[in-house]
Amino acid sequence: VTIRAALLRLQAENLIDIVPRGGAFVRSTTIKATIASGPELKQSGSFIRAMEGQGRQTLVRFLEASSNIPAGDTTGAKMKIDPETPVLRRYRIHLIDRLPYRILDSYYLASLLGDLLGKDEGYIPLFKWLREHTGLKATRALERLNCRMPSAEEAALLNISRGQPIIDMDRWVWADDGTLFEYTHIVANGALHEFTYAYDLDEEASK
């Protein structure tokens, strides 16, 4: 067994964190290292705000420069728009305390958010920007989650082994006028996320 294999096994068992170009560190057992309690958009407005609220150091790193492109067949179908409709693509990764947490591939209607093109430095609260520049408010989100093993590229970006599960999430967000303006595909390190949901029960439905 090589040292690298041993470290990857310890990482998969949630005993250590491996920071790219930083080293391997024993994960704290007194404080749960990573909790992203959902639905995060409703509670904190964004994942970054949720982590900052826990006193964590956050960083958004763009994997590619943002670009305005045609939606294409796949994204067009996801957003129920014509494939030629311009969308703003933002492909990035969230790092918390220097650890890669999640990869985000987001598509926004360029007619509403296209002016964010090139504004990849720092963190811009998207919903606040939308409200201030268009008068629209984000009011509804739909999320679909499943668990799977990562691809080679995803494992490399998240700095995990191919045998460590990831959370695959599709997210759609609507404005108060009913416009579906965002579709985001999220790939998150499963060991670093916990999603907690609460909902009311209809007792009559069980009769």
Side-chain angles (χ1 to χ4, degrees):
V1 178
T2 65
I3 293 177
R4 174 174 174 78
L7 289 174
L8 289 175
R9 181 172 180 177
L10 290 172
Q11 182 190 41
E13 294 176 358
N14 300 327
L15 297 175
I16 66 171
D17 289 317
I18 300 176
V19 178
R21 296 181 294 279
F25 303 90
V26 176
R27 182 169 294 175
S28 172
T29 57
T30 57
I31 300 175
K32 196 161 187 177
T34 56
I35 299 183
S37 297
E40 64 204 27
L41 291 183
K42 183 175 181 179
Q43 295 177 346
S44 306
S46 74
F47 174 76
I48 293 295
R49 286 287 181 257
M51 293 295 98
E52 289 176 344
Q54 296 181 22
R56 317 298 294 276
Q57 181 183 6
T58 64
L59 176 67
V60 178
R61 178 166 61 86
F62 277 77
L63 300 171
E64 296 178 10
S66 59
S67 58
N68 281 327
I69 58 173
D73 293 336
T74 301
T75 303
K78 294 281 189 182
M79 299 184 71
K80 294 181 170 54
I81 56 177
D82 187 275
E84 296 302 316
T85 303
V87 293
L88 171 68
R89 184 192 186 205
R90 308 183 89 199
Y91 184 40
R92 61 212 185 276
I93 188 166
H94 286 164
L95 295 98
I96 309 298
D97 297 334
R98 300 173 64 193
L99 293 174
Y101 264 51
R102 46 169 52 178
I103 306 161
L104 300 94
D105 195 5
S106 299
Y107 299 85
Y108 309 97
L109 287 179
S111 58
L112 296 177
L113 292 145
D115 287 345
L116 283 173
L117 180 67
K119 298 178 180 178
D120 298 344
E121 296 296 328
Y123 171 66
I124 298 176
L126 181 74
F127 297 160
K128 179 181 179 182
W129 192 97
L130 179 72
R131 184 177 68 253
E132 292 177 346
H133 290 78
T134 70
L136 296 175
K137 295 181 180 180
T139 56
R140 186 166 69 94
L142 171 67
E143 296 176 347
R144 183 175 62 201
L145 293 83
N146 68 81
C147 294
R148 60 176 174 83
M149 295 303 178
S151 67
E153 180 182 3
E154 292 165 346
L157 288 172
L158 292 172
N159 199 42
I160 59 176
S161 71
R162 290 290 303 276
Q164 183 169 331
I166 55 94
I167 297 169
D168 187 301
M169 176 193 291
D170 289 310
R171 172 183 289 159
W172 295 265
V173 185
W174 286 263
D176 53 358
D177 67 348
T179 300
L180 172 60
F181 68 87
E182 174 189 344
Y183 165 70
T184 295
H185 179 227
I186 300 171
V187 175
N189 184 337
L192 301 181
H193 288 73
E194 176 182 289
F195 295 90
T196 304
Y197 296 89
Y199 50 90
D200 296 326
L201 297 175
D202 184 357
E203 185 178 351
E204 294 298 321
S206 66
K207 291 183 178 180

